[in-house]
Amino acid sequence: VTGQADRTIFLGGDFHTRRVPMDFHGQTLESIGSYLQRTEFVSVLAMTGAGESWGCRMDENGESDCGRHQGGADFFNGSPRVLSDEEFEQSPVAEFYRDGYDYLVFLGPSTASLPVVPLED
């Protein structure tokens, strides 16, 4: 990252901003964040609570299933906040996300937002 800023802030939902590569079923996946020097950016993982999202997923038959889907983490609750180190370390995601991010931010429950272009029937 080059330019006039002292730092770049990555705000992302998961993998892309990870500072370290991820092992996925025996394959090492590099992220954008894993290519940059630690001093060049701050990585923030934004996590939502239980709720819903709008997106496309693969169903059990390998078909695209676009629409509202239940999801989110149900192990954080309360007000939106930057998670403390202690709260994060006691969570079930600590092992997976450890060393990947500088800050974890809890945004509260999520609600689905429809896409800009409606689905065709």
Side-chain angles (χ1 to χ4, degrees), residues 46-52 70-78 83 91-93 97 105-110:
M47 300 180 77
T48 61
E52 62 182 17
Q70 294 298 114
D74 61 357
F75 37 84
F76 298 121
N77 52 43
L83 298 175
S91 76
V93 296
Y97 290 123
V105 177
F106 174 68
L107 301 175
S110 63

Side-chain angles (χ1 to χ4, degrees), residues 36-85:
L36 300 174
Q37 294 296 317
R38 196 159 191 87
T39 57
E40 291 181 331
F41 74 101
V42 173
S43 181
V44 178
L45 175 63
M47 300 180 77
T48 61
E52 62 182 17
S53 63
W54 196 102
C56 294
R57 298 179 179 175
M58 200 77 80
D59 69 13
E60 60 275 356
N61 298 319
E63 300 292 322
S64 182
D65 177 19
C66 297
R68 286 185 172 140
H69 298 282
Q70 294 298 114
D74 61 357
F75 37 84
F76 298 121
N77 52 43
S79 301
R81 64 195 176 279
V82 175
L83 298 175
S84 69
D85 290 341

